[in-house]
Amino acid sequence: MRISPTLACVLALGGAARAENAPEVAPAAAVASAPATEHAIEPTSTMTELPAIGNDPAVRVALRGTPASLPPVTAQIFRIGGRTEAEPLFQMSVGDPFYKTWLVGVRVEHHLDERWSVGMHALGGASAVSAPIEMCGGSACDGPAAAKLRSTPGNVQMMAGLEASWAPLYGKLSLFGEKTIHFDAYLALGPEILREKIAPDAATAAGGHFAVGARASIGERVFFSDNFMVRFGVSEVMYGSAVRGRTELERKLSIEGGVAWLFGGSR
């Protein structure tokens, strides 16, 4: 088959153009022996620098003692084992049907360890007729009079007793992240002796009589330093009172509080 001269020229020109545009392939040996070129990457932009931690006001507040900056668990800081506690205290009765009592005194307590302690206390004061009491006669009721209530129980003049105390709970409370309060809760139980002023009947003058009973207490110590604390609690005294010739079980519920100091022992 014969090809026209014009078609032959077009094919020849196309082959020459493809040969000029073809990529050059280096021999395998040349590629293997060519040294690797190291390229250093230079940053194209500057990173934003963060401010120093010490200059941040929020961080300075956190470092002063916020809960986030405190360790999750810390040991007991204020220890009382082997030390003696002295407390001037005030006691006021509540819920009295006949007489309300105010007593002041002192408590001395020795802590055998961090949980157990033994102590003694003595209080003295006075009682007054409770305001809610009204005396009713044949037609009308009037306010209470001490003379009409002289044969009723509750007119306590003095209390004293021994107690054994158990403090099962030591805790910490953070106030607004600025101050941590350390406290321990305690239970106490012991015998009690008290002096009550009571008359055998409504027509006889009142006289002082001693009665024996028991005291149960629950309260807390709040520590402010190694040697100083505030103490408050609730106690109930149960005793036998001679009311008009017969013995009746009486109860005296009171709130108490005071400041206390620790002495002796090793810190």
Side-chain angles (χ1 to χ4, degrees), residues 20-258:
E20 291 178 358
N21 296 330
E24 295 182 0
V25 180
V31 173
S33 61
T37 304
E38 296 181 356
H39 299 279
I41 301 175
E42 297 182 358
T44 58
S45 62
T46 304
M47 296 180 64
T48 303
E49 294 183 359
L50 296 176
I53 292 180
N55 296 328
D56 190 345
V59 175
R60 289 200 301 270
V61 171
L63 293 177
R64 286 201 298 265
T66 57
S69 67
L70 297 176
V73 178
T74 57
Q76 181 173 343
I77 296 178
F78 300 107
R79 298 190 174 274
I80 56 179
R83 312 189 75 190
T84 300
E85 176 184 344
E87 177 198 7
L89 73 140
F90 170 78
Q91 177 179 295
M92 181 184 69
S93 63
V94 294
D96 294 274
F98 302 112
Y99 290 94
K100 184 178 292 292
T101 303
W102 296 272
L103 301 175
V104 294
V106 63
R107 175 190 284 120
V108 178
E109 189 169 351
H110 181 71
H111 297 275
L112 305 175
D113 54 24
E114 302 299 329
R115 295 292 175 262
W116 292 95
S117 61
V118 292
M120 59 183 300
H121 59 268
L123 304 101
S127 298
V129 176
S130 296
I133 296 297
E134 290 187 350
M135 303 296 296
C136 297
S139 59
C141 296
D142 57 3
K148 297 179 181 180
L149 295 176
R150 57 177 173 262
S151 62
T152 57
N155 189 1
V156 176
Q157 308 296 314
M158 181 273 292
M159 288 185 181
L162 305 174
E163 57 187 339
S165 179
W166 176 48
L169 177 63
Y170 178 89
K172 295 177 280 290
L173 178 64
S174 179
L175 295 180
F176 308 106
E178 296 293 334
K179 181 67 176 179
T180 301
I181 295 178
H182 295 253
F183 64 90
D184 69 348
Y186 65 87
L187 302 171
L189 182 66
E192 192 84 6
I193 184 172
L194 55 87
R195 186 177 187 272
E196 182 183 41
K197 191 175 181 180
I198 188 172
D201 54 62
T204 308
H209 300 274
F210 285 94
V212 178
R215 175 189 291 260
S217 305
I218 181 172
E220 283 190 0
R221 300 180 186 89
V222 179
F223 297 88
F224 286 87
S225 70
D226 293 341
N227 302 315
F228 178 73
M229 69 185 79
V230 172
R231 180 168 170 169
F232 56 90
V234 178
S235 64
E236 185 170 50
V237 175
M238 293 166 285
Y239 66 96
S241 178
V243 181
R244 301 193 177 187
R246 61 181 182 180
T247 301
E248 295 184 357
L249 180 63
E250 303 295 335
R251 298 185 299 175
K252 199 77 165 176
L253 180 65
S254 303
I255 57 175
E256 59 185 46

